[in-house]
Amino acid sequence: MNLIQHFINGKVVGGSSRKTSKVFNPATGEQSSEVNLASKADVDLAVQKAKEAFTDWCRKPPAQRARIIFKFKELIEKNSDDITKLIVSEHGKIYEDARGSLIRGLEVVEFACGIPHLLKGEFTENVGTDVDSWSVRQPLGVCAGITPFNFPAMVPMWMFPIAMACGNTFVLKPSEKDPSCSIKLAQLFKEAGLPDGVFNVINGDKEAVDALLTNKDISAISFVGSTPIAKYIYENAAKNEKRVQALGGAKNHCVVMPDCDLEQAVNGLMGAAYGSAGERCMAQSVAVAVGKIGDSLVNKLAKKVESLKIGPGLDKNSEMGPLVTKEHLEKVKSYVDLGVQEGAKLVVDGRNTKPHGYEKGFYIGGCLFDNVEKKMRIYKEEIFGPVLSIVRVKDFESALDLVNEHEFGNGTSIYTRDGDVGRTFANKIKIGMVGINIPIPVPVAYHSFGGWKRSLFGDQHMHGPEGIRFYTKLKTITSKWPSGLRSNPEFVMPTMK
Ligand code: NAD
């Protein structure tokens, strides 16, 4: 059985714990590997090595750090097929989608290559007579990332390239469901010339996470995952005096206006609801049909959902792969059962889908519910599977209220041809990322990613300018040289007279 270990101080190591967890190939349902789960001692060792590496790494000129990151970028490009196959083999999503997610991560690496420019501070000459003032951003120390299963390459890559470009060292704790990708990325970074200890990967479960949260040598924690765990991370990281950003779950609404290009909206929704089998934090899981568009929207969607091609991620014909684990499949199916019990109309039922030859894989077909209501649990809770709920509302204002009243605030979009409606929506909606005729408005690497409400605990979004701010602290220096204007002792606040 393949054993997935940790990556500490430039080496793959087994760690001291005997605890392991199973990793599956979701396409076949077979176990593919065993992953070591770190003990507190393993985590502490990784943090210690990262702390030692920080001393030299933070002193390296940003341009030298950028050169290593640039080499890492080249190695990812060279190895993109292998990394993509690793994602498919442990997550299950289709090859081209996995490749796309790797490229979105790579774009953050490209952004981080510009670190000499991004770390430039601000300077003011003569804030007082012969007095100058400037500000610089300095690294924090050892930073940690805790990431979810659904983007085993992209989400970690939202974090560590920027953290390390800023001069920090990093300990990553990826999801134990698909851990191989992170180890591969660490090996490529070493090949790119990264000094040992700057980037470490610890595989593990709650025990490893708790060890990170309580380790006094960790300055900042970045988390992406479900809302209950995000809240736990936020509270405990703060309690242990760490900087923290904790991104949580979502229930993204797509508002479909009666004046929209329906074909465009339906195609957008198909990709956004069923792409990656709905296991995306930016998946559209609710379509809000406004006014008379409801019937035609449901009819057009139903035909396309019924004809979705479901199969293994490496089969070029597949449009949707399996879910990540058997437990997750059972959970998603139980939500579909619940929707039926709650009185929603199940227009397309994918519960019995079993691709030929892959009967043991973790598959479910696309599911479509109509007449979903606000009080239903299938509306309120994140299902994280290929289940789209249609809620019908009478007008634009009702759609706006519906989206704003939901506890999550990650992403949303609107389909309309009316610029006025689009602008009002963007202005009034209480959501972090908004699309106008764009189904999944994920910001590019040089903007920042993050939600509102219970989709993000903390102040800073991820990557882009917010990433630079999160991974650095500001220092402002005010100076005067002895040759400047002499002054007598002053006992009052100096002001500009
Ligand atoms: P999860 O919350 O179960 O796990 C995330 C991480 O936390 C993993 O590394 C896991 O090992 C760890 N963890 C799990 N339980 C823990 C516990 N009790 N104590 C400490 N650590 C624990 O999430 P998941 O199932 O891996 O991923 C899916 C979730 O992530 C969805 O809710 C999805 O919306 C969310 N997500 C959000 C974003 C975003 O940007 N907001 C992006 C991707 C995924």
Side-chain angles (χ1 to χ4, degrees), residues 146-150 158 173-177 206 209 223-226 229 247-250 281 382 384 410 449:
I146 301 158
T147 53
F149 79 82
N150 65 324
W158 285 351
K173 205 302 285 171
S175 170
E176 60 276 38
K177 292 179 187 137
K206 181 170 165 44
V209 171
F223 172 86
V224 176
S226 59
I229 312 296
L247 279 60
C281 63
E382 182 182 42
F384 221 54
N410 217 37
F449 183 107

Side-chain angles (χ1 to χ4, degrees), residues 223-235 245-252 281 380-382 403-411 430-433 449-458 461:
F223 172 86
V224 176
S226 59
T227 288
I229 312 296
K231 189 160 184 284
Y232 173 79
I233 300 282
Y234 179 66
E235 288 171 354
Q245 51 180 182
L247 279 60
K251 193 82 180 178
N252 305 312
C281 63
K380 292 195 269 196
E381 296 171 20
E382 182 182 42
V403 183
N404 282 344
E405 281 162 20
H406 204 284
E407 67 166 307
F408 295 122
N410 217 37
K430 293 175 186 156
I431 302 283
M433 295 169 282
F449 183 107
W452 286 15
K453 300 189 270 186
R454 301 191 80 237
S455 293
L456 191 154
F457 302 95
H461 290 199

Side-chain angles (χ1 to χ4, degrees), residues 243-312:
R243 189 176 282 202
V244 55
Q245 51 180 182
L247 279 60
K251 193 82 180 178
N252 305 312
H253 295 60
C254 177
V255 175
V256 184
M257 295 297 293
D259 71 326
C260 76
D261 177 331
L262 189 56
E263 199 59 31
Q264 188 194 28
V266 167
N267 285 338
L269 264 168
M270 285 301 298
Y274 301 103
S276 197
E279 291 170 321
R280 288 182 183 144
C281 63
M282 288 292 275
Q284 298 282 6
S285 48
V286 181
V288 186
V290 178
K292 62 179 176 17
I293 198 98
D295 288 346
S296 37
L297 176 68
V298 173
N299 291 341
K300 276 186 183 289
L301 276 171
K303 285 199 193 82
K304 295 205 184 220
V305 180
E306 273 160 4
S307 60
L308 268 172
K309 297 191 190 81
I310 290 139

